[in-house]
Amino acid sequence: MSLGSQGVVFLLVIALLATCARNSKARATFENGLKSMVYKSSKITLHPGSVSNKLYYEIEFPKGHIAIKSFNAEVVDEAGNPVSLQQTYLHHWIASRYYERVGSEDRNYNANPGFDQSDIIMARNAGLCDHVLGQFFGLGAETRKTSTHIPDPYGIEVGNPLEVPSGYEEKWMFNIHTIDTRGAVDAVGCTECRCDLYNVTNDKYGQPLDPNYGGGLSCCYDGTQCKVKNGIASVERHLYLKYTVKWVDWSDTILPVKIFILDVTDTWQNTGIHDCLVEYDVEQSTTGISTNDYTSTRISSVRFPISGDVVYAVGHQHRCGLGSALYRKDGQEICLSKPIYGIGDEVGNEAGYVVGMSTCYPKPGSMKIVEGETLTMEFNYSSETSHTGVMGHFYILVFESSMDSNYLVGW
């Protein structure tokens, strides 16, 4: 190598080190074309019983025209140590893509969504819910042990300049919902957002709640307080969502997948409209003792809008979930996704909590869906006791294709 070449390399190394020094929250690695970056969110401030459910605009995210291969996250403390679900319950985190008008107001954090503002355009996933669940990525308490890897040759395409509206730029945002259960009178009740434990009668907009509404997202919004035991000191702590994104540069060899989130509360089967309620309640069984069966089952069907191959699928359930399944019209099982429960005290294995969900990776090209086909989802919960604010979602990735095409599905 010539002295001139060595000088160029030296300057490039110095520039890279300077970039890393300016952004100490991120750590990059590169291996065989796969790039990986570790980031930390803005600070999340909590005290015993408190709830943080905020939006964080303009989060750090890889730049350029790329294919996302995985997106993982966990809650950590100021020292970077993983935080137990027994102390801070991660109700959910979701990452959404949006376009912001160039030169508009900086909004690194804002508890008010502002989705109706003219300088913000949300870039939703492929469906199916009309007004909610439009995120690209997201999980809950199960995040540590749920695989998000997208196999080759597939990837989630982002950063395509042709998709960005003129005068706008692509950005990403978080919604992070955490509940501090240290010293809680009823930690499980706090995580299920039971209204009586939060002493809430109005929603976050100040509107009275239905008297029959026992719990859910409308009772554990940002700034609410779950009941704690007498004498518990209000010790404040600062946490972060540490997230790891893996990607490759975009190329014509990558097959782009579309993101679909299906909700078992979707009303389409009865109304023809994808009005998703996001959550629902499980009533305590009145026949469980006599039948020795405490299973509450909810089933819903939707019509799929495209033809393609299922590449990945995973269910989302809360505590006391017993499993979920997604079927084709002929009854063929697309995915059976079961919760993984912790059995210990260590972080990632918290007893009684859903610490992961099993995932499905059909052999490439083996699981096809036809446009207009009706898919059925089934979610089971234990009904030995009642539960509020449970969820039943399926997150699936589909490579859109014609049913008679003979494309390359492997490298």
Side-chain angles (χ1 to χ4, degrees), residues 131-398:
H131 305 293
V132 294
L133 302 179
Q135 68 266 23
F136 272 54
F137 310 98
L139 290 166
E142 76 275 21
T143 188
R144 286 190 174 107
K145 292 188 175 180
T146 301
S147 173
T148 63
H149 170 69
I150 303 171
D152 293 334
Y154 305 101
I156 297 174
E157 182 182 13
V158 300
N160 185 345
L162 299 178
E163 295 179 353
V164 181
S166 178
Y168 287 77
E169 55 186 333
E170 181 181 283
K171 295 185 177 182
W172 290 81
M173 64 179 290
F174 271 141
N175 170 217
I176 306 172
H177 187 185
T178 54
I179 302 171
D180 191 323
T181 58
R182 291 175 298 162
V185 169
D186 181 353
V188 174
C190 291
T191 64
E192 291 189 349
C193 299
R194 275 178 35 197
C195 299
D196 59 332
L197 291 172
Y198 285 89
N199 194 27
V200 168
T201 56
N202 294 333
D203 65 18
K204 64 181 180 181
Y205 304 107
Q207 298 301 311
L209 293 170
D210 187 319
N212 295 319
Y213 184 79
L217 290 170
S218 292
C219 284
C220 59
Y221 48 88
D222 186 57
T224 53
Q225 173 75 34
C226 198
K227 188 176 181 179
V228 297
K229 300 171 185 175
N230 292 332
I232 294 296
S234 184
V235 179
E236 189 174 85
R237 71 189 308 193
H238 303 304
L239 306 178
Y240 303 85
L241 188 74
K242 184 179 79 171
Y243 56 107
T244 303
V245 184
K246 294 184 179 182
W247 75 97
V248 295
D249 293 330
W250 187 260
S251 74
D252 292 340
T253 62
I254 300 169
L255 301 182
V257 294
K258 292 188 174 183
I259 302 168
F260 292 89
I261 299 180
L262 314 182
D263 183 1
V264 76
T265 68
D266 193 334
T267 63
W268 175 85
Q269 191 172 355
N270 298 319
T271 66
I273 300 173
H274 290 291
D275 185 12
C276 300
L277 306 179
V278 180
E279 59 181 2
Y280 64 101
D281 294 340
V282 172
E283 300 296 329
Q284 184 175 19
S285 173
T286 58
T287 61
I289 295 178
S290 60
T291 62
N292 196 31
D293 183 7
Y294 289 98
T295 302
S296 173
T297 301
R298 184 149 182 169
I299 298 174
S300 181
S301 297
V302 294
R303 180 177 296 152
F304 210 69
I306 66 170
S307 295
D309 298 331
V310 178
V311 173
Y312 168 92
V314 64
H316 170 64
Q317 288 193 288
H318 288 186
R319 188 172 179 146
C320 292
L322 301 176
S324 55
L326 182 65
Y327 300 98
R328 293 192 61 192
K329 184 177 181 179
D330 62 2
Q332 181 184 15
E333 182 183 286
I334 296 174
C335 181
L336 177 63
S337 182
K338 295 183 177 181
I340 301 167
Y341 281 93
I343 56 174
D345 292 325
E346 64 271 23
V347 174
N349 190 34
E350 297 92 337
Y353 288 84
V354 177
V355 297
M357 291 291 296
S358 64
T359 51
C360 299
Y361 289 96
K363 182 180 178 181
S366 67
M367 186 59 67
K368 296 182 180 294
I369 300 175
V370 179
E371 179 181 354
E373 181 176 359
T374 299
L375 304 184
T376 299
M377 58 192 118
E378 175 182 319
F379 285 84
N380 295 310
Y381 274 89
S382 170
S383 59
E384 192 167 355
T385 61
S386 61
H387 305 284
T388 56
V390 305
M391 294 184 178
H393 305 157
F394 249 105
Y395 178 98
I396 66 173
L397 302 178
V398 177

